[in-house]
Amino acid sequence: GYSEDNIKEIQRIQQILNEMHEKIEHFRNRLKDSSEKFQKMYEAYQEGQRPIAIIVPYKKQKEKMEKLFVDNPHFKEIAQIRTIDSVQGREYPIVIMSLVRSDRRAGFLASPNRMNVAISRPQHQLILVGNSFGFLDSKNIRKHAKELRALIVYTIGEDNV
């Protein structure tokens, strides 16, 4: 049977978190010496806050990520993992979204409402991790592919992860 988790995406998200941790720590240090107004404006980046939301469509992917990230010291400092349904009505400075599926079926993300919730949560940056070719070519996503391609800045890797 098909499994709604994707280990390659989880590994790529680990790499992204490690890279972003250094940048966020640098920003936090500069923020300490900034004006009160500037500190208030970027409150979500302050020490003790977790400015990154990793959004996943499937509970199984969330559980696998939590299990694998438990030993990553950077994860607990800057990120949290949420399912799409749990982020409705919330915003986050940075969102990393795991597409999970790479079989040309959008699955859970075929719902326009869920897709809208997923891609409209970030305040500053959205990072999509997954097989963009398979995802954009899926039956229910194809009609929105032009708009979604506009969100894709670049792709890397042979699996487009």
Side-chain angles (χ1 to χ4, degrees), residues 2 9 18 27 35 46 52 56 68 113 118 122 137 143 147:
Y2 182 78
E9 286 186 21
N18 289 335
F27 184 70
S35 70
Q46 297 279 4
I52 300 173
V56 298
L68 293 172
N113 293 343
D137 197 38
K143 59 187 165 205
E147 293 86 358

Side-chain angles (χ1 to χ4, degrees), residues 90-107:
R90 297 181 181 179
E91 288 185 325
Y92 302 90
I94 301 166
V95 169
I96 300 172
M97 185 177 151
S98 173
L99 299 175
V100 183
R101 299 183 77 132
S102 61
D103 60 356
R104 298 188 188 270
R105 293 185 347 200

Side-chain angles (χ1 to χ4, degrees), residues 115 119 128 132-133 135-153:
M115 179 57 80
I119 65 173
L128 297 173
S132 63
F133 297 120
F135 178 72
L136 292 172
D137 197 38
S138 62
K139 181 181 173 189
N140 294 321
I141 298 298
R142 204 173 300 134
K143 59 187 165 205
H144 304 290
K146 183 179 177 185
E147 293 86 358
L148 291 169
R149 270 196 185 88
L151 294 173
I152 299 172
V153 177

Side-chain angles (χ1 to χ4, degrees), residues 33-113:
D33 299 328
S34 300
S35 70
E36 197 173 310
K37 180 181 177 184
F38 195 75
Q39 287 182 17
K40 184 73 175 157
M41 191 175 5
Y42 291 99
E43 189 172 26
Y45 290 93
Q46 297 279 4
E47 199 78 39
Q49 300 296 317
R50 295 186 295 170
I52 300 173
I54 302 166
I55 298 178
V56 298
Y58 302 105
K59 186 177 177 185
K60 187 169 183 178
Q61 182 83 339
K62 178 182 185 284
E63 290 167 354
K64 186 166 265 187
M65 274 188 191
E66 288 172 338
K67 189 175 179 183
L68 293 172
F69 288 3
V70 74
D71 294 327
N72 182 331
H74 305 316
F75 167 69
K76 291 178 184 157
E77 294 175 23
I78 62 170
Q80 54 193 296
I81 304 170
R82 303 275 190 202
T83 59
I84 292 173
D85 288 339
S86 73
V87 297
Q88 192 158 355
R90 297 181 181 179
E91 288 185 325
Y92 302 90
I94 301 166
V95 169
I96 300 172
M97 185 177 151
S98 173
L99 299 175
V100 183
R101 299 183 77 132
S102 61
D103 60 356
R104 298 188 188 270
R105 293 185 347 200
F108 198 71
L109 294 172
S111 160
N113 293 343

